[in-house]
Amino acid sequence: MSNERMNTPDDPRLHRLAQLTRLLDQAFRIPGTRWYFGFEAILGLIPGLGDISGALFGGYGLLLAHRMGAPAWLLGRMLLNLGVDAMVGAIPLAGDVFDLVFKAHVRNQQLLRDWLDSPHKTARASKALLLGGCAALLLMFAGSLWLAVACIGWLLRHTAG
């Protein structure tokens, strides 16, 4: 099969990515709502496991995009989505709620499909979002670090007594 034919919407690799995305982010529906969640959210109830497994499985989408010839800005934006998901997902309880709203795998699958459908149209918006997202990710990391240090300090002050 030629490489051009493989980079089409009927590419079997895209079908596998869609199946994985569904399992991770959309396998189950909360009854009476339009909210979906997947195995990543379930694993996320075990501290660290869901975030790590989600990032590892998300690596398949990155690898697939790279093999399909996706440009660096698209790979960066996909990586940013996974980073935000892992970083915010690591916050107890808030991260679990965040997993219901922010579907990194769904976003990455859609980014790849949009790029395959119209590579030039998605480039400009994605580059700006990538830069803004990197800045936001750095701020979240700094905030998370500050929060962790503040919590540890509070615990030390209140348990040493």
Side-chain angles (χ1 to χ4, degrees), residues 52-69:
I52 292 170
S53 63
L56 289 174
F57 284 119
Y60 174 73
L62 281 170
L63 180 63
L64 177 59
H66 174 71
R67 287 183 176 166
M68 294 179 112

Side-chain angles (χ1 to χ4, degrees), residues 79-147:
L79 188 58
L80 179 68
N81 284 339
L82 293 174
V84 168
D85 187 42
M87 193 167 230
V88 178
I91 301 170
L93 292 159
D96 299 321
V97 173
F98 183 75
D99 277 339
L100 290 173
V101 180
F102 188 85
K103 309 283 188 202
H105 307 290
V106 171
R107 290 170 185 262
N108 285 351
Q109 178 189 7
Q110 191 61 50
L111 279 170
L112 182 57
R113 285 191 176 275
D114 289 348
W115 174 74
L116 288 169
D117 290 343
S118 179
H120 301 294
K121 184 178 178 184
T122 59
R124 196 174 322 133
S126 291
K127 287 178 186 176
L129 188 60
L130 178 60
L131 288 175
C134 284
L137 190 58
L138 285 173
L139 287 172
M140 283 191 294
F141 178 72
S144 297
L145 186 60
W146 175 84
L147 184 60

Side-chain angles (χ1 to χ4, degrees), residues 39-58:
F39 286 104
E40 183 182 1
I42 294 170
L43 290 173
L45 296 173
I46 303 168
L49 185 62
D51 309 312
I52 292 170
S53 63
L56 289 174
F57 284 119

Side-chain angles (χ1 to χ4, degrees), residues 6 14 17 20 22 27 29 31 33 37 43 45 52 60 62 76 95 104 111 120 126 143 148-149:
M6 292 299 287
L14 289 175
L17 179 62
L20 180 62
R22 185 181 180 296
R29 181 174 173 221
T33 71
F37 65 97
L43 290 173
L45 296 173
I52 292 170
Y60 174 73
L62 281 170
L111 279 170
H120 301 294
S126 291
V149 169

